[in-house]
Amino acid sequence: IMDWSERPSALLPTNERAPFNFTRASHVVLQVKDLALSRAFYVDTLGFVVSDETANTIYLRGLEEACHHSLVLEKADQASCRFVGFRVRLDEELDLVKAHFEANGLPAAWANVDHQRRTLHVVDPSGAHVEICANMDTRPRQILAASAFVGACPLRLDHFQIHTPFVGEAFGFYAGMGFRLSEYIARDGVEEPDAVFLQRKGNPHDVVFFRNDGPRLHHVAFLAPETYHLMLLCDRLAEAGFGAAVEFGPQRHFSPGFARFVYVRDPDGHRIEFFTSHYLTLDSEDEPVRWNVSQLGGGWGPRPPQSWRNEASPFAGTEVLPANAPNRDAFAR
């Protein structure tokens, strides 16, 4: 059990024998103000596949995905992120996950969620609202449906990044649940990370925690087939009247992940990354890669804009705390 009064100053080992098995980042639930406009952005322009829709909710997935949804859009008066989602391997593991959160003084409660089986809602040490399940409804994969490959041709959800004042606490907690550190960013000469890239599925990250005002969702990332599609989706956005949505890129990360990417903002300001590649981090001998702040920003192309550095989507009903917030007691329970 973590002592939340202390932030770990050294890299923490992964608990390789956690009693439950998180498998991957699974889905994100976003609240949007104009569902029809969001549909035009995500479906008609970017090419997400509709699994189901109601008057107030659209369930989307990528072309490779058989799970019912990886991106859920809900109509609301204010734009926010309701949940980021993870999967565990087996349904019975959810009982162990619930007990683990509660033993650490973190909220955990069962929830009924359409198109998902037993689902757990928790708040993690970063302050993020997290939805965890083991099973969803399924739909046919569209990977061979050539006519469905339009716009960004999103294949599958890969990861999400969360801004939080509590990077150390989040790192310690997730490492204790079996998440492995692939890369991290620290200020020159400082041991404590300001950003940690954590993974379960064998590529560099499923979730990133970055020190900033939070908790807020910085972005959710989807894999695109080829570099060509990063340009094509920008052209598609411009043609549909969403040209201003392109925020940063197309470019390459000469920094954690190394991927070619483009970031876009949806009509409510939610940030979506599309990228084309990652590398394998499955082997036990892979050591975490340290990036000093002075190493960042190399390569080619412009530096990220201030909007990319500072803006992000708040979690619904959760106060955003400053990056230098002293402790987690500021979160209302």
Side-chain angles (χ1 to χ4, degrees):
I1 298 177
M2 281 283 299
D3 178 1
W4 303 119
S5 65
E6 296 184 3
R7 291 181 178 176
S9 59
L11 299 186
L12 297 174
T14 297
N15 178 7
E16 301 287 1
R17 293 176 175 82
F20 39 75
N21 183 16
F22 279 86
T23 58
R24 63 182 179 91
S26 170
H27 60 283
V28 170
V29 182
L30 301 179
Q31 294 184 318
V32 300
K33 291 183 286 186
D34 187 331
L35 201 59
L37 183 62
S38 293
R39 194 187 196 285
F41 183 86
Y42 283 102
V43 179
D44 300 338
T45 307
L46 291 177
F48 281 86
V49 179
V50 178
S51 294
D52 279 291
E53 56 186 317
T54 69
N56 295 310
T57 308
I58 304 177
Y59 298 90
L60 304 175
R61 69 186 193 278
L63 295 157
E64 286 186 1
E65 293 177 313
C67 60
H68 183 270
H69 52 268
S70 55
L71 178 60
V72 182
L73 306 176
E74 296 182 344
K75 182 175 174 55
D77 292 333
Q78 297 295 325
S80 65
C81 177
R82 279 196 69 212
F83 295 102
V84 294
F86 288 105
R87 297 282 288 269
V88 292
R89 178 72 66 189
L90 301 173
D91 185 82
E92 56 262 34
E93 293 177 318
L94 291 169
D95 297 294
L96 300 174
V97 175
K98 184 174 186 290
H100 183 73
F101 273 78
E102 291 173 337
N104 283 277
L106 295 165
W110 299 113
N112 293 318
V113 179
D114 290 342
H115 306 291
Q116 294 175 197
R117 299 182 196 174
R118 211 163 52 131
T119 299
L120 185 63
H121 283 172
V122 300
V123 178
D124 76 9
S126 77
H129 290 217
V130 182
E131 185 170 271
I132 307 168
C133 67
N135 302 101
M136 285 185 185
D137 295 345
T138 60
R139 295 289 186 270
R141 299 182 196 273
Q142 298 298 295
I143 190 65
L144 296 180
S147 61
F149 278 70
V150 296
C153 302
L155 298 180
R156 62 182 182 273
L157 184 146
D158 184 79
H159 66 270
F160 34 78
Q161 178 171 310
I162 294 168
H163 279 182
T164 177
F166 310 113
V167 171
E169 292 90 336
F171 174 29
F173 189 78
Y174 277 77
M177 296 196 298
F179 283 73
R180 294 180 60 193
L181 180 69
S182 58
E183 304 186 60
Y184 65 102
I185 298 171
R187 286 162 287 172
D188 293 46
V190 176
E191 189 176 10
E192 181 183 16
D194 279 323
V196 292
F197 296 72
L198 304 170
Q199 62 90 5
R200 284 294 300 169
K201 65 182 181 302
N203 70 8
H205 37 280
D206 286 278
V207 60
V208 180
F209 295 101
F210 211 108
R211 195 178 314 282
N212 206 319
D213 299 350
R216 297 179 296 161
L217 174 68
H218 182 265
H219 70 268
V220 55
F222 286 85
L223 190 70
E226 300 177 18
T227 305
Y228 157 78
H229 292 99
L230 304 182
M231 298 297 296
L232 176 62
L233 76 89
C234 295
D235 287 340
R236 293 270 300 187
L237 288 168
E239 183 182 45
F242 296 117
V246 179
E247 180 186 37
F248 180 29
Q251 205 169 310
R252 180 192 279 279
H253 287 300
F254 285 84
S255 60
F258 309 117
R260 298 179 178 91
F261 69 87
V262 64
Y263 291 90
V264 302
R265 307 288 292 274
D266 79 0
D268 290 278
H270 299 305
R271 182 180 291 107
I272 313 296
E273 179 186 16
F274 295 97
F275 75 103
T276 59
S277 62
H278 261 162
Y279 62 92
L280 186 69
T281 58
L282 188 63
D283 299 323
S284 60
E285 63 269 25
D286 282 329
E287 292 293 330
V289 177
R290 175 185 171 116
W291 294 84
N292 291 321
V293 170
S294 63
Q295 293 176 279
L296 304 178
W300 48 266
R303 299 293 297 271
Q306 287 301 313
S307 61
W308 187 91
R309 296 173 183 271
N310 297 319
E311 296 177 10
S313 300
F315 284 89
T318 300
E319 181 185 2
V320 174
L321 301 177
N324 61 354
N327 58 63
R328 298 184 67 260
D329 294 337
F331 283 117
R333 293 294 179 212

